[in-house]
Amino acid sequence: YGSYTTGTVLNNGGRVEHDGTGYTASDKGAVQYVYTEDGTAYYLADTLVGKEPGFGEGVKPQVLTDIEKNIYRIVKIGPQYWMADNLRTCTDKTGKPLITGLSGPDWELNGHDGGKGACAVYDFPDAKAVSALENRLTYGVLYNRNAVESVRPEGWQLPSETDYLVLTGFLGGKDHAGKLLKEAGTETWQTTSAEVTDVTGFAGRGGGYRVTDGTAFTGLKSVGYWWSSTSAEGNYYVLKLEYNTSRLGLTGAENNSRGYNIRCLKTMN
């Protein structure tokens, strides 16, 4: 299989575009096999003996792997490639662990200018606590603003206001985008309507946030926030999904000490 720019590369040198919209032929003859998700080849030609594909098998998906070897699904929405999971790393790009386990005052101070990047998991100030693992896997890690750039995977970027407008424009406007981006069902949301389909595969979850003074976590299953790269007067904006609305908002983050999730999109320049 190939990279984001090349799509799926077949064994004869042909290529299928990542979004399935095009095929580049090869002069080396017909495709003889593709690879299933476990990496085993099976043959397409009737005259060749090989593994028959079973239910659920297919071409290996493209994934993103962070410095801790956490694996994230990727979805293409319009012209953009998005992470389909919230970031879970507690280690920055240099291999240095982020600060975690901070008390309320220390959490707030490290969100200010000159503070250090810090992280937590919903209900757990220590993101690395064994008891935090379930929430970390389900909802990802909550980061203060000073942590954001240090954990952003290379080649990926935080969504800007322009990215937000491209995304919502492709999905029919900001007032309709939410129902196409939220994970369906009630496992990660209080309630959802029949209109919530997650047809995009984005699987937005209500991960809540850590409040400014670090004394509480709130909003689990009712709201999801993701840091953006857009700011005003030093405070950054966040993308916002709520359980009771179809809107995808871009709103002020209140301040940089709050703990929010991160979703990145592929840098295509």
Side-chain angles (χ1 to χ4, degrees):
Y1 61 103
S3 66
Y4 303 101
T5 55
T6 61
T8 301
V9 178
L10 306 175
N11 77 299
N12 69 344
R15 189 182 77 207
V16 179
E17 299 300 332
H18 193 284
D19 59 1
T21 60
Y23 169 67
T24 302
S26 168
D27 60 0
K28 297 180 180 179
V31 176
Q32 291 182 311
Y33 61 84
V34 295
Y35 286 93
T36 60
E37 290 178 1
D38 64 0
T40 304
Y42 65 83
Y43 294 105
L44 300 180
D46 293 336
T47 56
L48 297 175
V49 178
K51 182 181 178 220
E52 290 295 330
F55 179 77
E57 293 178 331
V59 177
K60 281 187 175 182
Q62 298 287 352
V63 294
L64 168 66
T65 304
D66 68 24
I67 194 168
E68 289 184 347
K69 307 304 181 183
N70 297 305
I71 296 174
Y72 306 92
R73 299 166 298 154
I74 297 166
V75 291
K76 186 173 189 291
I77 307 175
Q80 300 170 324
Y81 295 89
W82 286 86
M83 293 171 56
D85 302 285
N86 292 341
L87 197 66
R88 299 189 296 272
T89 185
C90 294
T91 305
D92 70 19
K93 289 181 285 189
T94 70
K96 182 179 179 180
L98 290 179
I99 295 174
T100 191
L102 294 179
S103 65
D106 287 337
W107 172 267
E108 181 173 3
L109 287 173
N110 276 287
H112 296 169
D113 288 347
K116 296 181 178 180
C119 66
V121 167
Y122 195 96
D123 274 343
F124 299 93
D126 183 357
K128 297 180 180 179
V130 173
S131 53
L133 183 60
E134 182 177 356
N135 278 357
R136 181 176 174 184
L137 293 175
T138 303
Y139 298 103
V141 170
L142 301 170
Y143 303 91
N144 70 4
R145 179 63 207 185
N146 286 330
V148 170
E149 288 302 321
S150 70
V151 296
R152 175 180 55 80
E154 292 293 342
W156 293 75
Q157 65 190 44
L158 293 177
S160 65
E161 183 176 12
T162 298
D163 295 322
Y164 165 78
L165 293 173
V166 170
L167 177 64
T168 54
F170 179 78
L171 297 177
K174 60 186 179 183
D175 292 331
H176 304 283
K179 63 187 178 185
L180 306 178
L181 295 168
K182 285 190 288 188
E183 186 170 69
T186 56
E187 289 190 13
T188 60
W189 293 101
Q190 289 183 28
T191 61
T192 55
S193 69
E195 293 182 324
V196 175
T197 62
D198 190 29
V199 68
T200 61
F202 185 84
R205 298 177 174 182
Y209 63 98
R210 190 176 188 182
V211 300
T212 301
D213 64 10
T215 58
F217 298 84
T218 189
L220 190 70
K221 299 182 73 171
S222 67
V223 65
Y225 290 103
W226 296 271
W227 285 110
S228 83
S229 61
T230 297
S231 65
E233 298 181 355
N235 287 324
Y236 283 81
Y237 282 72
V238 288
L239 274 64
K240 179 181 181 182
L241 289 174
E242 297 178 275
Y243 79 97
N244 59 354
T245 178
S246 295
R247 180 185 178 89
L248 174 65
L250 181 66
T251 183
E254 300 294 334
N255 59 71
N256 295 333
S257 291
R258 281 194 173 186
Y260 294 126
N261 288 127
I262 292 176
R263 289 277 187 109
C264 296
L265 68 161
K266 182 73 174 172
T267 302
M268 301 304 289
N269 295 336

